[in-house]
Amino acid sequence: RPPRSTLFPYTTLFRSVATFAQTTLWDGEDKVLGTGGDFWDRCSQKVVENPAKDGVNTSDKCLEFKITGNEWNNGSAAIGLSTSSFESKRMSLMIKKDKDSNVRIEVKFNNGIKKVAAWYGGSGAWQKLYFDFSTNGVDGNPTEITIFPTTDAVEGEQTIHLDNIQKIGRASCRERV
């Protein structure tokens, strides 16, 4: 029989769990259908029933808007933000659109506007995208966000769906014995 001291590593379990605190900046669930959902008035935006609840976004409601270009006035959705610290400098959102392309977000901070892009390859399905501002000199708290669903030229009209815009906090680890 092995000495008691050699059993200690086998009978004790240490686990570390990493979690990321997320703060929701916009979510369709608490918005009224048919309204602009607090977004600025452009691109015919309105809160609608989620057109595809079988994917990553099972929410009942989301924002729908239509774009005819990739410029600020006819190819984006924007909203003012009221949030405290932005220490992690990371954001995420869910988007559904018909054409695969880069999605760019511009966030206004104390020291100007910062831009980050992420690739959407969902081919018409909901996809969660992550945007990392940690390398471009962000200082202060975000005061507004503009979402450009494509950086490509737009032919005709495209319908875009957005939901669950979040800032992602720093990871925290908790040890349990």
Side-chain angles (χ1 to χ4, degrees):
R1 176 169 158 183
R4 187 174 176 104
S5 63
T6 59
L7 290 177
F8 179 76
Y10 303 109
T11 60
T12 305
L13 175 64
F14 292 97
R15 290 190 316 167
S16 179
V17 178
T19 59
F20 294 91
Q22 297 180 349
T23 301
T24 300
L25 302 173
W26 192 91
D27 180 12
E29 293 307 295
D30 62 350
K31 305 298 184 254
V32 177
L33 288 172
T35 67
D38 300 326
F39 274 78
W40 298 344
D41 190 20
R42 62 172 180 247
C43 296
S44 303
Q45 78 277 355
K46 63 183 172 184
V47 177
V48 298
E49 291 286 336
N50 182 350
K53 297 180 189 178
D54 57 348
V56 66
N57 185 7
T58 58
S59 297
D60 288 330
K61 296 184 271 183
C62 63
L63 184 77
E64 176 185 275
F65 64 103
K66 302 188 184 295
I67 62 171
T68 56
N70 62 8
E71 301 85 25
W72 189 86
N73 62 332
N74 62 2
S76 68
I79 190 169
L81 299 176
S82 173
T83 182
S84 57
S85 73
F86 191 57
E87 292 177 10
S88 75
K89 299 174 178 48
R90 291 186 303 269
M91 298 180 87
S92 69
L93 60 81
M94 291 190 193
I95 187 167
K96 178 187 177 317
K97 59 188 197 139
D98 292 331
K99 302 199 183 225
D100 294 356
S101 68
N102 277 320
V103 174
R104 184 179 80 231
I105 64 173
E106 296 181 3
V107 180
K108 184 176 182 181
F109 293 91
N110 298 356
N111 62 338
I113 295 174
K114 303 298 181 179
K115 304 173 186 181
V116 175
W119 178 254
Y120 170 85
S123 301
W126 281 105
Q127 184 177 344
K128 188 169 188 173
L129 300 181
Y130 296 89
F131 302 87
D132 187 351
F133 290 87
S134 64
T135 61
N136 59 359
V138 169
D139 182 30
N141 298 326
T143 57
E144 57 190 65
I145 181 172
T146 305
I147 301 156
F148 294 85
T150 187
T151 56
D152 296 342
V154 175
E155 294 181 23
E157 183 178 81
Q158 294 180 23
T159 300
I160 312 297
H161 294 92
L162 287 176
D163 205 4
N164 301 326
I165 302 170
Q166 299 177 322
K167 69 176 183 174
I168 301 169
R170 294 187 182 275
S172 64
C173 293
R174 295 174 295 185
E175 287 189 38
R176 291 177 36 194
V177 178

